[in-house]
Amino acid sequence: MKIEQIYTGCLAHAAYYIESKGEAAIIDPLREVQPYIDRAKLDDAKIKYIFETHFHADFVSGHLDLKAKTGAQIVFGPTAKPSYEAIIAKDGQIFEVGDYKIKVIHTPGHTMESTTYLLIDENGKEHGIVTGDTLFIGDVGRPDLAQKIASDLTQEKLAGYLFDSLRNKIMPLSDDLIVYPNHGAGSACGKNMSKETTDTLGHQKQVNYALRADMTKEEFISELLDGLSEPPAYFPQNVMMNIKGYESFDKVMSKSQKPLAPKAFEAAANETEAIVLDVRNQTEFVKGHIPRSIFIGIDGDFAPWVGALIADVSQPILLVAPIGREEEVITRLSRVGFDNVIGYLEGSFEAWKNAGMDYDTLTSISAEEFANRYADNKDVVFDVRKDGEYTAEHVEGAKLTSLNTLNNHLSEFPDNKPFYIHCAGGYRSVIAASILKSRGIHNLIDIAGGFGAIKNTSVPTTAYVCPSTLK
């Protein structure tokens, strides 16, 4: 069977392209739809259907743009109620794409409309399942997202639905089926996904904790919800964009790619409520940046941190990006619903600096220098990593102030003396430093290289505890 995975973005979301005898289907298309159109043209195929496994939370789907450009029909599973024309399929309904068949299997749990698509080849053999966020490699989807949209859907209730879907709809299927999930390692849509992108269903039954044959529903709910972190704040907003509709990607790109000279950029920042978002490398930001700008580097976990820290997808944004990467940044913001970029600094930060504009720097020291200062400053060390990272191992005396909850800790930072911040490798601590400086807190010192570098010095750290043993 001809099926291609198309991966993109920090969250490693997968879209699927299926083609047979001049007809094609796309399952869960990403925001930029032109690659799918181009791929179909190469095959001399017409895109017939756009299948959605559910209303996505982590990204804005390309279904509406793809329909507008190709005339293909959008298909959702049972119970979906989009605000636009779509086929709401019945459980067990079969769609034909050339000689192939795609069977709808309603698998509620991640969300109520969540649907798995069973792929059947030209000989009638069941080939694989596109599971969306129902089943991942090594994990299953989190069951707490839909409750942000409908308060009566508790995470416990959704977890129960997911247990039933897995036991009654997925696990009875043939062991040799290939599992095609929507996400891989790094996604916030599950707890501990594998870096592998496919597997057989039979092997997942053996190794996936959530598919244990002797597992009770109560055990499943308990294990699934244990250690589940708060989802990024932008997730419910993306869900509503996917339900209600959104501005076309082409229009977003057209209005956002607006170069601004330094003076015009400054005026826009002063006259609007835009956030100045600097996406260069952290080492460049440390050396110089526009005052009160927020750093979230494009080459790190960009989209998740933008969503977690900016939260409101309608927030106006002014960009400071590496020269030549402006379109890439705008595209990646748009994928997760941030469509309100109002311009970017033409010539990047160097143009700002060369124009004689005021700029700020960030004090940063090496781990070795921190080791020399540690004995006299152990009471003012702040760790901005995640709870689990901190619990597993941390600098003795360091206070946990996780980046995703940094705004809840502002009163804990001393205002009468310098303090030190670090993360694991240097990326998140510079994000944290930029947020603190934007709040008027400037007496901070970043530790370059983070905990990874600190461990190689004389600074005492707690005994390591394997994260898998933590509860």
Side-chain angles (χ1 to χ4, degrees), residues 25 49 87 115 165 180-181 190 192 207 224 240 259 268 279 298 324 328 349 362 373 403 408:
Y49 293 116
I87 296 172
T115 296
S165 292
Y180 297 100
N192 192 31
V207 301
L224 183 58
M240 295 312 297
V279 305
I298 188 66
E328 175 194 350
F349 179 71
L362 172 62
R373 303 183 186 189
L403 176 57
N408 299 332

Side-chain angles (χ1 to χ4, degrees), residues 411-454:
S411 63
E412 299 174 21
F413 296 102
D415 57 8
N416 58 349
K417 59 181 177 180
F419 61 89
Y420 300 83
I421 61 173
H422 77 83
C423 60
Y427 179 79
R428 285 175 286 175
S429 63
V430 177
I431 296 176
S434 71
I435 293 172
L436 293 175
K437 287 175 73 66
S438 74
R439 301 286 193 273
I441 301 172
H442 297 281
N443 53 314
L444 57 91
I445 300 170
D446 173 62
I447 304 171
F451 190 73
I454 293 171

Side-chain angles (χ1 to χ4, degrees), residues 56-165:
H56 303 280
D58 63 306
F59 78 105
V60 178
S61 179
H63 56 324
L64 293 176
D65 281 350
L66 194 54
K67 177 182 179 180
K69 289 177 179 287
T70 67
Q73 292 180 291
I74 298 171
V75 180
F76 279 99
T79 77
K81 296 179 180 178
S83 299
Y84 41 82
E85 181 183 356
I87 296 172
I88 308 304
K90 296 178 181 179
D91 191 21
Q93 186 170 346
I94 292 178
F95 293 83
E96 295 184 357
V97 178
D99 285 343
Y100 300 156
K101 293 181 174 63
I102 299 176
K103 183 178 180 179
V104 173
I105 303 177
H106 188 210
T107 48
H110 175 66
T111 64
M112 289 307 294
E113 77 284 351
S114 285
T115 296
T116 293
Y117 293 106
L118 175 64
L119 310 178
I120 304 170
D121 70 15
E122 66 273 22
N123 299 314
K125 177 177 173 54
E126 296 178 351
H127 167 82
I129 44 176
V130 178
T131 53
D133 287 21
T134 295
L135 174 63
F136 300 125
I137 307 304
D139 202 356
V140 293
R142 58 189 302 159
D144 61 331
L145 300 183
Q147 67 177 349
K148 303 293 183 179
I149 306 299
S151 58
D152 60 316
L153 291 174
T154 65
Q155 59 183 12
E156 289 79 12
K157 184 183 291 187
L158 286 161
Y161 286 134
L162 183 56
F163 176 87
D164 293 336
S165 292

Side-chain angles (χ1 to χ4, degrees), residues 243-436:
I243 292 174
K244 295 184 175 181
Y246 48 80
E247 196 168 42
S248 76
F249 177 73
D250 291 345
K251 187 173 181 180
V252 170
M253 295 304 294
S254 177
K255 73 174 185 179
S256 297
Q257 294 186 74
K258 184 179 180 181
L260 298 171
K263 289 290 186 184
F265 189 92
E266 181 183 48
N270 291 334
E271 294 167 6
T272 70
E273 295 183 353
I275 286 176
V276 176
L277 180 62
D278 192 323
V279 305
R280 298 172 298 146
N281 185 274
Q282 61 260 34
T283 58
E284 295 175 310
F285 185 88
V286 166
K287 295 175 183 177
H289 55 267
I290 296 173
R292 296 182 300 282
S293 59
I294 301 298
F295 165 79
I296 306 178
I298 188 66
D299 292 323
D301 287 337
F302 179 64
W305 283 121
V306 168
L309 299 174
I310 298 181
D312 182 3
V313 297
S314 64
Q315 168 66 49
I317 295 173
L318 285 164
L319 286 178
V320 181
I323 295 173
R325 299 187 68 181
E326 297 88 358
E327 181 178 351
E328 175 194 350
V329 176
I330 295 167
T331 297
R332 289 177 62 178
L333 286 169
S334 184
R335 285 177 188 161
V336 290
F338 288 85
D339 289 347
N340 201 12
V341 174
I342 62 175
Y344 64 85
L345 180 59
E346 188 174 21
S348 195
F349 179 71
E350 285 305 308
W352 179 274
K353 188 175 178 181
N354 292 339
M357 312 288 280
D358 288 340
Y359 67 92
D360 202 352
T361 59
L362 172 62
T363 302
S364 182
I365 63 172
S366 68
E368 290 77 14
E369 177 60 25
F370 171 65
N372 294 333
R373 303 183 186 189
Y374 171 75
D376 296 325
N377 295 280
K378 62 179 68 176
D379 62 324
V380 286
V381 181
F382 294 85
D383 187 332
V384 302
R385 296 176 299 159
K386 296 178 182 178
D387 292 15
E389 293 174 281
Y390 177 88
T391 304
E393 191 177 17
H394 60 266
V395 172
E396 287 188 1
K399 302 173 181 66
L400 176 64
T401 52
S402 297
L403 176 57
N404 62 325
T405 60
L406 189 69
N407 286 326
N408 299 332
H409 297 287
L410 296 182
S411 63
E412 299 174 21
F413 296 102
D415 57 8
N416 58 349
K417 59 181 177 180
F419 61 89
Y420 300 83
I421 61 173
H422 77 83
C423 60
Y427 179 79
R428 285 175 286 175
S429 63
V430 177
I431 296 176
S434 71
I435 293 172
L436 293 175

